[in-house]
Amino acid sequence: MLDIKYRVVLASKSPRRQALLKEIIPDFDIALRDIDEAYPATLKGAQIVEHIARAKADAFVNELADDQLLITADTIVWIDNQVLGKPKDSTDAIRMLNMLSGNMHTVYTGVCLLTTTRRRLFSTSTDVYFSKLSEPDIRYYVDNFRPFDKAGAYGIQEWIGYIGVERINGSYFNVMGLPVQKLYDELCQFCSVNR
């Protein structure tokens, strides 16, 4: 059981991240801040999410108390050497799902752990294989689930995941937005906790 000597703060408005973190840390605070999620065009895959997770943590660096541990995260979908972020609208979501249909893509999540004295940055990747999706299935999903707050325009835990994901290689929870097992291990090391 994880016993952290800090007051944990999750800097995320994602309900999925909040629910996943609650499974390993039942009591934590939530802090929100709008930040510029731009990144240099030269970055690829894991570099992007680590850059953004670090930027999210940097927004709080002067506000942390000595007894607080901040967790930030960012998730992207990476396909054909490009990022699929959150869709702007239905048309954009349909475009993204058509790109994913019948293909493999990689989901990257970067996480930053920050206290007043230490910082730890890491990332996790998961390969996701989609079956060929029909146009009616894509439209049904977008119209009914409105995945506009999700990287790549889909939630693996939703209807589209049940009918479209053939298999994954890596962490399922990473695809949801927080690699819980890796985070647990990193927290144990960061806090020098013996399991």
Side-chain angles (χ1 to χ4, degrees):
M1 178 65 189
L2 190 57
D3 182 24
I4 298 177
K5 303 302 184 197
Y6 293 97
R7 291 187 298 127
V8 174
V9 179
L10 175 66
S12 177
K13 61 184 173 186
S14 165
R16 292 165 302 283
R17 278 197 191 115
Q18 294 171 16
L20 289 171
L21 184 61
K22 193 170 280 295
E23 294 300 321
I24 60 169
I25 302 174
D27 186 31
F28 58 88
D29 296 320
I30 295 170
L32 302 177
R33 180 91 74 259
D34 287 327
I35 69 140
D36 180 6
E37 295 189 12
Y39 54 88
T42 55
L43 299 184
K44 307 287 185 198
Q47 297 170 323
I48 295 169
V49 292
E50 289 186 10
H51 177 88
I52 297 173
R54 181 188 299 112
K56 288 179 177 180
D58 286 347
F60 293 89
V61 75
N62 295 321
E63 301 172 22
L64 281 181
D66 289 342
D67 66 342
Q68 288 181 311
L69 182 143
L70 180 74
I71 300 173
T72 62
D74 190 69
T75 301
I76 61 166
V77 168
W78 183 257
I79 186 169
D80 295 334
N81 223 21
Q82 63 180 298
V83 174
L84 297 186
K86 296 172 185 172
K88 296 183 288 282
D89 53 28
S90 294
T91 302
D92 199 28
I94 290 167
R95 176 190 67 82
M96 289 182 183
L97 289 168
N98 274 306
M99 285 183 69
L100 300 178
S101 176
N103 291 308
M104 185 275 284
H105 64 274
T106 303
V107 176
Y108 291 98
T109 300
V111 178
C112 186
L113 308 177
L114 181 69
T115 66
T116 55
T117 59
R118 297 179 61 206
R119 178 191 304 259
R120 172 74 178 119
L121 192 62
F122 63 92
S123 59
T124 301
S125 66
T126 303
D127 293 333
V128 181
Y129 296 78
F130 260 93
S131 63
K132 188 71 179 163
L133 301 170
S134 71
E135 201 62 32
D137 282 346
I138 290 173
R139 289 186 181 279
Y140 169 81
Y141 176 68
V142 171
D143 290 345
N144 289 278
F145 290 84
R146 306 188 58 74
F148 309 126
D149 65 335
K150 297 175 178 69
Y154 81 95
I156 194 170
Q157 72 281 8
E158 295 177 339
W159 181 82
I160 199 80
Y162 292 116
I163 65 106
V165 175
E166 290 181 340
R167 71 185 189 278
I168 68 170
N169 182 15
S171 167
Y172 172 84
F173 299 112
N174 181 53
V175 184
M176 287 179 66
L178 195 66
V180 183
Q181 184 275 326
K182 176 71 171 168
L183 175 59
Y184 186 87
D185 282 350
E186 292 286 346
L187 285 167
C188 286
Q189 293 175 39
F190 191 83
C191 300
S192 299
V193 174
N194 293 320
R195 285 201 256 176

